[in-house]
């Protein structure tokens, strides 16, 4: 006698689960990662592929969302729409604003689980940059310092040395002018921070703007004096492409910018590029540049775990060494430098950024500095182009920031 077929509904649930266990696999958790590394997006995509292939729990999906000044608007639109990425690469000043707005995940619990030797291996300023109010919200990855790029051939033919101080730089620019404007100065808050810090000043004190300090006025007066005298050319960040062309053509011979711009200059027909440490004045110190990796509020525990696993993957010494070679950034981990000895021997100019890492400081951590720096850059431009005196322009920026 034939037995009736057994209905699936009559099979005990536990038994059904066991029968399917060998054939059904949970899909990997999708980790969306928004970054601003468009110039090296293929490198970033390669790291994500390597990570995804190394395990089956997570699937990192990187997306380039524009430069540091374009990405914030896209992030805010995504947050408003309820579909932000899990992980976001936030430039340092924007990172502090995100923390102030309560939009990033507190990572203290994760930091507590990290090996102490790993934490000690990060440069102090780099690791400190991920903290706000003593709480960890960011993790390091891409780190840069401002350096002095120069036309090595032109300086050699003029028989002048690479300037080591801002006083020397002004004298050198005056000496090699010959119808050119040797220094290209750009109205950029970060490099101006560096210029002020070498004079012993700070643009933010106790969370308040300090734009019209004597050190800031002195720094801006020097830039304005050089532009007026014909030894410098003033540009804005919006004119960066034209400025790069002028530099390549030899109209300008020196410019302070991020070491990461090395890869941009390499794309242009300029083969005699030099780079030196940022000129000192009273002290030798520079603010670090770059960004933190932060987790956006709303990320699930599984997504957070996946993003943090990917960050640890990026921090592998061999991978960081590869990152430096591909991007010209500086590694956030001190121990990685040993693996870069031969590389820096063959690329001595890139070593300029590394040589000043022990003298770095974090950028201002006040959340409102992200907005304030626009007032500061307006002041730099107005004074450099003779529209206002340095003191009046910085006082105006101070008033706007204090409102």
């Amino acid at each position: 006698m034939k037995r009736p077929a057994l209905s699936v509904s009559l099979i005990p649930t536990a038994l059904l689960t066991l029968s399917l266990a060998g054939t059904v696999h949970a899909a990997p958790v999708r980790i969306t990662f928004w970054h601003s590394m468009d110039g090296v997006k293929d490198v970033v995509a390669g790291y994500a592929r390597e990570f995804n292939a190394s395990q089956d729990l997570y699937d990192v999906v990187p997306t380039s969302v524009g430069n540091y000044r374009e990405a914030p608007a896209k992030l805010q639109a995504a947050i408003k729409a309820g579909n932000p990425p899990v992980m976001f690469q936030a430039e340092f000043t924007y990172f502090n604003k995100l923390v102030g707005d309560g939009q990033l995940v507190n990572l203290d619990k994760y930091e507590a689980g990290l090996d102490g030797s790993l934490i000690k291996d990060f440069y102090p300023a780099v690791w400190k940059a991920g903290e706000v109010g003593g709480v960890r919200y960011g993790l390091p990855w891409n780190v840069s310092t401002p350096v002095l790029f120069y036309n090595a051939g032109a300086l050699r033919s003029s028989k002048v040395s690479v300037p080591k101080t801002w006083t020397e730089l002004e004298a050198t620019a005056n000496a090699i002018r010959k119808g050119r404007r040797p220094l290209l100065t750009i109205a950029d808050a970060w490099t101006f921070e560096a210029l002020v810090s070498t004079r012993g000043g700070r643009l933010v004190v106790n969370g308040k703007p300090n734009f019209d300090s004597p050190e800031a006025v002195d720094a801006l007066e020097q830039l304005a004096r050089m532009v007026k005298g014909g030894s410098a050319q003033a540009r804005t960040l919006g004119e960066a492409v034209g400025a790069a062309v002028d530099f390549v053509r030899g109209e300008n011979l020196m410019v302070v910018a991020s070491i990461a711009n090395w890869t941009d200059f390499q794309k242009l027909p300029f083969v005699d590029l030099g780079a030196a440490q940022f000129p000192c004045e009273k002290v030798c110190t520079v603010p670090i540049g770059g960004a933190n990796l932060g987790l956006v509020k709303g990320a699930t525990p599984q997504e957070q775990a996946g993003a943090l696993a990917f960050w640890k993957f990026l921090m592998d010494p061999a991978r960081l060494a590869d990152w430096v070679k591909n991007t010209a950034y500086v590694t956030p981990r001190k121990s990685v430098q040993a693996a870069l000895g031969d590389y820096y021997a063959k690329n001595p100019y890139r070593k300029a950024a590394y040589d000043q890492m022990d003298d770095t400081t974090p950028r201002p951590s006040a959340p409102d500095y992200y907005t304030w720096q626009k007032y500061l850059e307006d002041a730099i431009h107005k004074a450099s182009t003779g529209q206002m005196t340095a003191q009046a322009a910085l006082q105006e920026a101070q008033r706007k920031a204090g409102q």
Side-chain angles (χ1 to χ4, degrees), residues 95 99 104-105 107 127 129-131 135-140 292-294:
F95 164 77
V99 174
L104 294 183
V105 174
L107 300 178
W127 191 246
E131 295 180 2
V135 177
R136 167 111 0 232
Y137 291 97
L139 298 165
N292 280 315
L293 299 183

Side-chain angles (χ1 to χ4, degrees), residues 68-69 91 93 146 185-196 203 220 223 235-238 255-258 261 278 287 363 369 373-374 376-381 384:
Y68 288 150
R69 303 213 170 195
E91 182 273 330
T93 60
T185 175
I186 299 176
D188 166 49
W190 179 48
T191 52
F192 189 69
E193 284 170 36
L195 186 55
V196 172
L203 290 174
L220 189 49
L223 297 180
R235 292 278 203 169
T236 65
L237 281 170
V255 61
V256 290
S258 167
N261 288 125
F278 192 90
R363 297 200 64 189
Y369 185 68
Q373 62 184 346
K374 175 62 169 63
L376 181 62
E377 289 170 354
D378 286 344
I380 297 168
H381 178 67
S384 297

Side-chain angles (χ1 to χ4, degrees), residues 29-33 48 51-52 58-62 87 306 310:
V29 178
R30 191 168 186 265
I31 312 298
T32 48
F33 171 35
F51 174 74
N52 293 341
Y58 311 110
D59 180 35
V60 171
V61 182
M87 184 160 63
F310 181 56

